Amino acid sequence: MDWTADRSTALRRLQEFAPDAGRRYASSRNHDTGPGRSNVSQLSPWLHAGLLSEREVLAAVLTHHSPSQAEKFVSEVFWRIYFKGFLEQHPSIWRAYCDDRDAALADLDDNAGRRTAYNEAVEGRTGIAAFDHWARELVETGYLHNHARMWFASIWIFTLKLDWTLGADFFLRHLMDGDAASNTLNWRWVAGLHTKGKTYLARQGNITRYTSDHPEGSLEADGLTSEAPALEEDRDHPRRDLDLPDGDLPQGRYALLLHDEAASHAPLALEQPPALVIGAARPDARSPLPIGDKARDFALQAVAKGVVSASEAFECPSVDWGHGDRPEDILQAQEIDYVVAPYLPVGWTRDSLWPRLEPLANSDRLTQILPELARQTWPEARAGFYRVRKAIPDILDTAGFS
Ligand SMILES: Cc1cc2nc3c(=O)[nH]c(=O)nc-3n(C[C@H](O)[C@H](O)[C@H](O)COP(=O)(O)OP(=O)(O)OC[C@H]3O[C@@H](n4cnc5c(N)ncnc54)[C@H](O)[C@@H]3O)c2cc1C
């Protein structure tokens, strides 16, 4: 698998996979056949980095299949949009995750037993062969199959009884597609915190069955617990109303900001060209702990290449926004008034950039743009996925896919 962090590799992988996104995907997607796999798209790193949009993925797939043939794949893409919209409306979940993760990390320093158990898990030394295999695969490749993520999270929480936020942090530090919404909410889903009381239990029989075509043979997972009691939390996460930007571009010269979740100008289909491209990659904001090489390199390369490509396409200069720089100073040096930024969703991308962008937003010098699919879907992402699932045909219709 070629994981080059640029748009042309993303488009190539999309063209290669799209013919298989119909019934073949639906019937084979649950099998983890190891790193040479082709039964799932593996598009998530490029989707997360905004080198490819959900709209482009759906358009390519729906040229090969009807919406009903590709229903399973289409609905997976909508899970991604749903989780983004859900976190946007429940931002305290992200804040609580960060606080609880920091407390759990501090606790490791005070508790030698838990520190040992944590180290064994992240270094793949628990003695549960399948789990240890996935821990190493994650660190070495920066990717895990969806089913492996579910089994891994379940074993972490219910068999090893480790704090779920530390597992989510381990994923976020190593996944090339590490995403505040999909990662946090999927971990919460496994733990029984997302759909309250409903947990996911990893079973040896299920792992054996769905890893039967693995190059190492079916993966062993001896000694798994047979119980997965839902975790509980002592706080509510009230829903806040969405406050979506209207997305109108400002009149005059503007700078386009490319960041970890929007590293390419191409999916944005801008009506007016920018006068400057600003690149701001912040992969280290994912965690207080060091970020894995695969995840870090993917993010840095995606933004660096995206900036070069945008600057060539619009024949304008580009600049790297260093950690200490004030965006006002960058704008002043280039005689530019406004910044246009692809939407900064709740999570570490926003946490790392917003404090410096807020003064611009307060003086009406920042415009955020949001893809139409998110604008249509997020209002349905208030609670469970069922509302989004029901709305998919109408959303596809409005988006011109009927
Ligand atoms: C514990 C756990 C943590 C996860 N963390 C992340 C994460 O940090 N970032 C991330 O992008 N996905 C995450 N996922 C969701 C899912 O595992 C990956 O999106 C998927 O495995 C990516 O591989 P793919 O591109 O081959 O997916 P495909 O099966 O080809 O699906 C196509 C696309 O649909 C989306 N998608 C598929 N399944 C899901 C799902 N369950 N939730 C949200 N979107 C989905 C992805 O964008 C994916 O690229 C997590 C799942 C679990 C159980």
Side-chain angles (χ1 to χ4, degrees):
M1 182 76 186
D2 176 3
W3 293 110
T4 306
D6 63 16
R7 184 160 158 85
S8 55
T9 312
L11 290 172
R12 217 170 25 250
R13 176 62 193 146
L14 176 58
Q15 293 317 322
E16 185 181 57
F17 178 75
D20 292 335
R23 302 221 162 89
R24 176 171 184 257
Y25 173 81
S27 62
S28 68
R29 60 182 284 271
N30 280 331
H31 293 262
D32 182 1
T33 57
R37 62 182 67 80
S38 63
N39 58 332
V40 289
S41 73
Q42 296 170 95
L43 287 168
S44 51
W46 293 286
L47 273 168
H48 169 73
L51 293 171
L52 205 57
S53 68
E54 290 94 351
R55 186 186 170 90
E56 290 172 314
V57 171
L58 294 174
V61 164
L62 294 173
T63 25
H64 290 273
H65 311 279
S66 67
S68 70
Q69 285 165 339
E71 189 191 353
K72 196 65 213 162
F73 184 83
V74 168
S75 106
E76 293 305 322
V77 173
F78 272 95
W79 268 101
R80 174 180 151 76
I81 309 173
Y82 158 74
F83 277 139
K84 280 273 184 234
F86 185 89
L87 196 63
E88 210 56 36
Q89 293 175 78
H90 300 84
S92 64
I93 289 179
W94 173 249
R95 200 52 33 235
Y97 158 73
C98 292
D99 292 346
D100 292 351
R101 171 205 62 198
D102 292 349
L105 284 171
D107 175 63
L108 292 182
D109 293 334
D110 298 337
N111 188 310
R114 275 201 283 274
R115 162 66 68 189
T116 303
Y118 171 79
N119 286 347
E120 284 173 356
V122 297
E123 290 164 15
R125 294 187 288 108
T126 63
I128 303 171
F131 182 94
D132 292 346
H133 173 90
W134 294 317
R136 287 194 296 270
E137 184 182 346
L138 171 61
V139 173
E140 283 163 21
T141 69
Y143 176 88
L144 277 187
H145 183 277
N146 180 57
H147 222 159
R149 297 183 199 207
M150 291 162 62
W151 291 319
F152 186 97
S154 176
I155 296 170
W156 180 285
I157 297 168
F158 300 115
T159 295
L160 301 175
K161 302 203 183 312
L162 289 163
D163 190 296
W164 76 267
T165 63
L166 295 179
D169 176 68
F170 178 51
F171 269 26
L172 211 48
R173 288 189 293 118
H174 290 283
L175 284 171
M176 291 182 287
D177 64 30
D179 181 272
S182 285
N183 192 54
T184 313
L185 297 173
N186 268 299
W187 273 86
R188 285 174 60 86
W189 178 83
V190 171
L193 293 167
H194 185 68
T195 311
K196 293 259 177 285
K198 187 173 173 293
T199 57
Y200 178 75
L201 177 66
R203 291 194 170 84
Q204 165 73 78
N206 186 260
I207 295 172
T208 306
R209 176 173 170 208
Y210 286 105
T211 57
S212 58
D213 293 330
H214 201 278
E216 297 181 18
S218 284
L219 299 177
E220 294 283 332
D222 289 336
L224 300 190
T225 180
S226 57
E227 288 175 3
L231 303 191
E232 288 175 10
E233 57 191 337
D234 55 7
R235 63 201 121 176
D236 284 336
H237 298 292
R239 193 181 73 80
R240 73 165 184 196
D241 286 341
L242 286 168
D243 179 17
L244 303 181
D246 61 20
D248 293 338
L249 290 190
Q251 295 299 316
R253 283 158 60 77
Y254 75 88
L256 172 65
L257 176 66
L258 297 179
H259 54 70
D260 294 49
E261 300 196 41
S264 171
H265 69 281
L268 307 173
L270 297 167
E271 283 164 14
Q272 301 154 230
L276 175 71
V277 179
I278 303 177
R282 300 286 188 268
D284 294 320
R286 289 175 178 216
S287 166
L289 294 184
I291 308 307
D293 289 346
K294 297 286 176 191
R296 196 162 184 279
D297 291 352
F298 193 94
L300 292 177
Q301 272 186 37
V303 174
K305 291 181 179 197
V307 165
V308 171
S309 156
S311 160
E312 284 172 5
F314 299 119
E315 297 179 346
C316 70
S318 65
V319 59
D320 181 42
W321 173 9
H323 282 76
D325 303 340
R326 285 180 353 123
E328 292 94 323
D329 298 337
I330 297 175
L331 297 186
Q332 195 177 5
Q334 305 279 340
E335 297 179 0
I336 289 172
D337 288 332
Y338 303 98
V339 170
V340 170
Y343 194 77
L344 288 158
V346 169
W348 47 271
T349 307
R350 186 181 180 87
D351 289 351
S352 61
L353 297 177
W354 191 250
R356 296 252 172 195
L357 287 173
E358 197 170 14
L360 287 181
N362 290 341
S363 53
D364 284 337
R365 298 177 68 199
L366 175 75
T367 298
Q368 294 189 64
I369 45 180
L370 185 69
E372 208 41 46
L373 272 182
R375 191 182 296 283
Q376 300 284 329
T377 309
W378 285 7
E380 309 300 334
R382 303 157 61 97
F385 182 67
Y386 63 95
R387 275 178 71 118
V388 169
R389 189 192 301 282
K390 238 174 80 185
I392 290 175
D394 284 346
I395 296 171
L396 291 181
D397 206 26
T398 310
F401 288 127
S402 49

